Amino acid sequence: MIKVTLPDGSVRQYPKGSSSMDVALSISEGLARNVLAAKVNGQIVEANRAIETDVNIQLLTWNDDDGKAAFWHTSAHLLAYALETLYPNVKFGTGPAIERGFYYDVDFGDYKFSEADFAKVEAKMLELARQKYPNVRKEMPKKEAVAFFEAKSDPYKLELLEGLADGTITFYETGNYTDLCAGPHIVDTSPIKAVKITSVAGAYWRANEKNKMLTRVYGITFPKKSDLDDYLLAFEEAKKRDHRKLGRELDLFYFSESVGMGLPLWAPKGAALRENLIQFLRKIQTRAGYQHVSTPHIGKKELYITSGHYAKYGQDSFQPIHTPEENEEFFLKPMNCPHHCEIYNAKPHSYKELPIKYAEFGTVYRYEQSGELHGLTRVRGFTQDDAHIYCRPDQLKAEFLKVVDLVNFVYSNLGFSEFQTQISLRDPHNQEKYLGTDEMWNMAESAIIEATRERGMKTTTKEGEAAFYGPKLDFMVRDAIGRKWQIGTIQVDYMMPENFDLKYMGSDNETHRPVMIHRALFGSMERFIALLIESTGGNFPLWLAPEPIRILPISDKYNDYAQTIMRQIMDATDLVVDIDERDEKISRKIRDAEVNKIPYMLIVGEKEQAEGKVSPRRKGQGDLGGMSVADFITHFQGEIKGAITQFNA
RNA sequence: GCUGUUAUAGCUCAGUGGUAGAGCACUUCCUUGGUAAGGAAGAGGUCCGGGGUUCAAGUCCCCGUAACAGCUCCA
């Protein structure tokens, strides 16, 4: 007998060789029906794998991410099985489960797999799933594995095998389909009841652009048809929050082919939104001890040679502009740090002055590959809420933590509670990509790791994601359909102070090298606003709304009264107020204001004019009843005060 | 940059090789109104650009441009 410990701590006894499925069956048949895989002593395995020793078991169902992963992993095999049946001679790359569904990378030879094929593949997958094929795990010596794929003349699987040690090779058989695979899988194919092939796109073999491009077929499957319907419906709903769509609908920004791709044009409403965000942050940064600076949009080539950016990105930048006579070369600035370092270097500094924090809403230009451009989230001209903190090495951790706190403050006020944090380190196997000494890197990386640990932050760590001059702590949020974007970043840099020969005079009357922290909280105004649009669906908090108040006169007889009200509000506050003077009925004006997502409508007609009042209507709430202008202003300002917490530096 | 898809009025989109369409928006007129679309009339087109096939191209083919999805990249 073996002892099985369940997550609630209960211990049960089973005959040796029992499986997780047996455990599930002993609890309830319903549970057994829902079990997709199991976590046995922390390792995820098939639910029917025999257990020989005492173990901890967690049964995994559709409610567990790992359960879904097993389900979708099997679905990927099912996809491959269907493709192999329908398109003889296809070769397979890799086919993992992903966050939402799965894909398989396929070499179709000369065949162009397209959307027209989707329905056929879906039908075949469902047909195969219904056969209730068991997923049979097989361990195999490497020699045998190689022979199998040589017989199949499958170059991709053979290449994958090269990287595997003998004795670790496992295969899974599903019907007539056999794949090199580490598993785990669901017990058989029958739970797969709904299938959707979602898209097809190119993907480089082994994620290397020098390799051949395979065809990546994406799909998603569910245990219930209604789950698929719900998923597709939710996806359609999410697409309505796309910032590119809302940007046009709310008249925020545009692109023009004549201006150039990736160069956003901010319309008045968008510019107002942007300005509100800048004002908010400028005020907080000033309180946090930042000094705002302003630097030009270009800089001489030599500046970027000094910083190291020229060697790294010179060829992949917008190419230099030249002066007509002297033929000097100037680059559009791709980042603000070199300019800020020059401000630092403009005069000598004492240790008593540090930390020095230069902030700038600095507009930069980067040549992004054409295929990368994406609405406002990836553009070629954008404004960073950039700042550089010059501090003594002994101040580094404290300063880093202050920035972390600032990020938390700003995001919480903007409703971004779901952000993720990632520590981006250098790739230990590819160190020539980076500048600086091991000592510098170790100091910088440990500063970030210690600081995040000190705050108890949940971070993920990624090697190879660092900037070439230093490691980073990145803050990421998801867009409407779940894609992750980096917004904030905090970077520790020992390199740039070296390159620019930055100094300060220490208490020992010797010169010392400061450490630099590069940081941006929004990242770029463009990307941040894009994500703000998607997270709010265009219903911005009152204090950010580009048009917070619109006065709606009942008829043109009350336009003059509306003007009086507008002036009263604008005199008492610095708010933007508009009047809808169109020759339309009030219900129409209300509808249009609702559609335009205007937070406050002020309805004025005969009654209001007679009583010297306004009738506010809050978007989404309806009529608030008549009140005086003074009462409305109090009400309005109260809502803003309630929305922003006080920042204490 | 790579693979694929798409491009028709300001927006959303129909359009079968044979006279360019709808809804919304816009303009004018009527209407002067009370909490989510009042009525009528009008104007608006390089069918993305260039080339080709054809008696005839918005429609078929090629090249380019841009957008979209994904890959790769991201100071």
Side-chain angles (χ1 to χ4, degrees):
Chain A
M1 297 296 273
I2 51 166
K3 274 189 210 157
V4 170
T5 310
L6 295 167
D8 64 359
S10 63
V11 180
R12 289 160 172 254
Q13 295 224 345
Y14 295 90
K16 207 170 176 191
S18 296
S19 68
S20 311
M21 191 54 89
D22 296 326
V23 174
L25 270 168
S26 77
I27 297 170
S28 89
E29 240 179 77
L31 176 62
R33 263 200 307 278
N34 289 321
V35 166
L36 297 171
K39 201 181 253 186
V40 177
N41 285 342
Q43 194 196 352
I44 300 159
V45 297
E46 280 76 31
N48 57 356
R49 181 93 60 97
I51 300 163
E52 307 295 342
T53 57
D54 293 353
V55 287
N56 293 299
I57 283 188
Q58 184 191 351
L59 298 168
L60 300 171
T61 68
W62 186 252
N63 294 324
D64 303 290
D65 287 346
D66 292 328
K68 281 197 185 81
F71 187 89
W72 283 332
H73 193 168
T74 296
S75 302
H77 280 212
L78 196 61
L79 167 63
Y81 191 3
L83 292 174
E84 198 169 58
T85 310
L86 295 168
Y87 311 89
N89 300 320
V90 291
K91 310 282 184 233
F92 295 108
T94 51
I98 52 177
E99 221 168 305
R100 279 187 292 193
F102 56 90
Y103 65 78
Y104 222 115
D105 284 347
V106 186
D107 184 346
F108 281 95
D110 294 330
Y111 186 73
K112 293 256 178 288
F113 185 83
S114 73
E115 258 179 70
D117 297 279
F118 288 8
K120 196 166 61 172
V121 173
E122 288 163 5
K124 178 58 80 176
M125 283 176 71
L126 282 172
E127 181 196 319
L128 294 171
R130 277 195 294 269
Q131 305 305 310
K132 201 173 179 178
Y133 290 118
N135 289 304
V136 183
R137 183 174 188 272
K138 284 191 174 171
E139 291 183 19
M140 207 182 276
K142 189 162 177 175
K143 217 186 258 178
E144 223 173 287
V146 170
F148 176 82
F149 284 115
E150 271 173 353
K152 237 180 141 185
S153 62
D154 192 326
Y156 306 107
K157 297 294 182 186
L158 284 169
E159 194 181 322
L160 291 175
L161 272 171
E162 276 173 33
L164 296 175
D166 201 0
T168 63
I169 317 283
T170 55
F171 276 66
Y172 280 81
E173 265 179 28
T174 311
N176 289 323
Y177 177 75
T178 305
D179 203 348
L180 171 68
C181 177
H185 285 274
I186 58 178
V187 172
D188 67 67
T189 58
S190 65
I192 300 171
K193 294 279 172 45
V195 172
K196 183 83 188 167
I197 301 301
T198 47
S199 72
V200 57
Y204 298 109
W205 167 236
R206 308 202 94 175
N208 186 335
E209 63 178 330
K210 293 188 179 68
N211 289 342
K212 180 169 177 176
M213 185 162 266
L214 304 179
T215 303
R216 179 168 294 179
V217 182
Y218 285 90
I220 192 160
T221 51
F222 292 93
K224 283 194 301 206
K225 175 75 170 60
S226 61
D227 289 343
L228 174 60
D229 296 339
D230 292 348
Y231 170 80
L232 294 174
L233 192 68
F235 193 72
E236 289 308 309
E237 282 303 308
K239 280 202 277 193
K240 291 180 185 162
R241 301 205 311 271
D242 188 319
H243 74 279
R244 294 165 298 192
K245 183 176 157 67
L246 284 171
R248 188 183 298 111
E249 286 171 5
L250 300 179
D251 203 12
L252 301 174
F253 61 87
Y254 301 94
F255 289 90
S256 150
E257 276 192 44
S258 305
V259 174
M261 54 161 116
L263 299 169
L265 304 170
W266 289 96
K269 295 277 178 60
L273 172 62
R274 201 167 177 276
E275 196 53 37
N276 289 342
L277 271 171
I278 288 176
Q279 294 295 339
F280 164 71
L281 188 53
R282 189 189 293 275
K283 206 164 141 188
I284 288 161
Q285 287 185 158
T286 302
R287 290 186 67 141
Y290 290 81
Q291 298 169 285
H292 290 88
V293 298
S294 183
T295 64
H297 286 72
I298 62 174
K300 277 165 83 171
K301 179 177 169 182
E302 288 68 26
L303 184 68
Y304 301 106
I305 292 175
T306 301
S307 70
H309 289 99
Y310 181 77
K312 181 81 181 170
Y313 295 106
Q315 298 311 307
D316 301 319
S317 303
F318 284 116
Q319 289 307 291
I321 47 181
H322 300 261
T323 52
E325 300 285 333
E326 301 84 351
N327 202 35
E328 293 170 296
E329 294 180 282
F330 289 85
F331 276 90
L332 281 167
K333 81 173 167 188
M335 81 293 302
N336 303 296
C337 37
H339 287 75
H340 291 185
C341 286
E342 290 299 314
I343 296 178
Y344 182 92
N345 256 350
K347 62 175 192 181
H349 297 285
S350 153
Y351 73 98
K352 296 175 190 168
E353 288 174 70
L354 301 184
I356 289 172
K357 308 178 185 183
Y358 294 142
E360 174 174 14
F361 294 91
T363 303
V364 297
Y365 299 88
R366 295 179 184 174
Y367 174 76
E368 304 285 4
Q369 293 182 7
S370 58
E372 287 314 325
L373 301 175
H374 184 99
L376 287 181
T377 51
R378 194 80 184 269
V379 287
R380 287 178 168 174
F382 56 97
T383 302
Q384 295 178 309
D385 62 321
D386 206 0
H388 297 97
I389 298 166
Y390 301 89
C391 66
R392 304 190 306 262
D394 66 277
Q395 295 170 317
L396 177 63
K397 195 160 83 180
E399 287 306 318
F400 192 93
L401 286 171
K402 279 185 202 168
V403 181
V404 169
D405 294 343
L406 199 59
V407 170
N408 280 312
F409 173 81
V410 168
Y411 290 4
S412 69
N413 271 289
L414 288 160
F416 285 111
S417 50
E418 298 283 299
F419 62 89
Q420 298 171 20
T421 46
Q422 175 183 305
I423 300 175
S424 301
L425 306 177
R426 72 176 163 167
D427 182 353
H429 308 296
N430 201 356
Q431 296 203 356
E432 61 278 15
K433 271 169 65 180
Y434 309 95
L435 294 183
T437 62
D438 284 349
E439 195 199 354
M440 287 175 177
W441 277 89
N442 292 339
M443 284 194 294
E445 292 186 350
S446 57
I448 294 178
I449 292 164
E450 275 174 40
T452 52
R453 195 172 292 157
E454 197 158 309
R455 277 292 179 277
M457 296 167 69
K458 272 193 204 144
T459 57
T460 55
T461 301
K462 282 230 171 134
E463 288 180 342
E465 299 277 306
F468 73 92
Y469 51 75
K472 325 185 269 177
L473 179 65
D474 292 326
F475 296 80
M476 348 258 277
V477 297
R478 290 175 185 275
D479 67 14
I481 63 168
R483 290 175 292 214
K484 267 196 263 180
W485 297 92
Q486 180 201 309
I487 47 174
T489 183
I490 316 176
Q491 311 176 355
V492 177
D493 182 5
Y494 285 88
M495 195 58 231
M496 209 71 69
E498 202 73 39
N499 291 346
F500 280 91
D501 193 22
L502 306 183
K503 290 181 277 224
Y504 67 89
M505 187 64 80
S507 57
D508 55 2
N509 200 30
E510 300 280 336
T511 59
H512 296 270
R513 191 72 80 204
V515 191
M516 238 173 120
I517 298 172
H518 306 243
R519 49 111 281 188
L521 313 184
F522 296 152
S524 88
M525 300 309 300
E526 284 71 14
R527 180 178 291 179
F528 192 82
I529 289 171
L531 292 158
L532 188 66
I533 292 168
E534 303 209 354
S535 72
T536 59
N539 294 303
F540 304 111
L542 181 56
W543 61 279
L544 278 178
E547 188 183 346
I549 303 170
R550 185 182 290 176
I551 303 177
L552 312 182
I554 295 285
S555 80
D556 59 15
K557 283 192 279 188
Y558 310 104
N559 283 355
D560 289 345
Y561 180 62
Q563 291 282 348
T564 312
I565 299 294
M566 178 175 82
R567 259 179 247 115
Q568 281 181 37
I569 297 173
M570 290 177 88
D571 287 347
T573 67
D574 51 4
L575 293 166
V576 180
V577 183
D578 292 289
I579 305 175
D580 186 348
E581 293 189 328
R582 291 177 307 162
D583 176 16
E584 295 289 353
K585 290 193 174 174
I586 192 64
S587 54
R588 177 52 185 271
K589 293 184 182 182
I590 289 169
R591 179 180 189 275
D592 289 344
E594 291 278 351
V595 168
N596 291 328
K597 304 181 193 290
I598 309 299
Y600 276 100
M601 292 157 247
L602 297 183
I603 288 137
V604 294
E606 189 178 1
K607 197 174 65 188
E608 289 77 10
Q609 186 169 31
E611 298 173 7
K613 288 187 170 177
V614 295
S615 291
R617 184 191 156 99
R618 182 73 173 90
K619 180 187 177 342
Q621 282 175 29
D623 193 357
L624 302 184
M627 60 177 83
S628 71
V629 174
D631 286 348
F632 171 68
I633 291 172
T634 308
H635 174 86
F636 183 97
Q637 288 177 332
E639 183 177 334
I640 291 179
K641 274 201 191 111
I644 308 179
T645 52
Q646 192 59 241
F647 176 70
N648 296 305

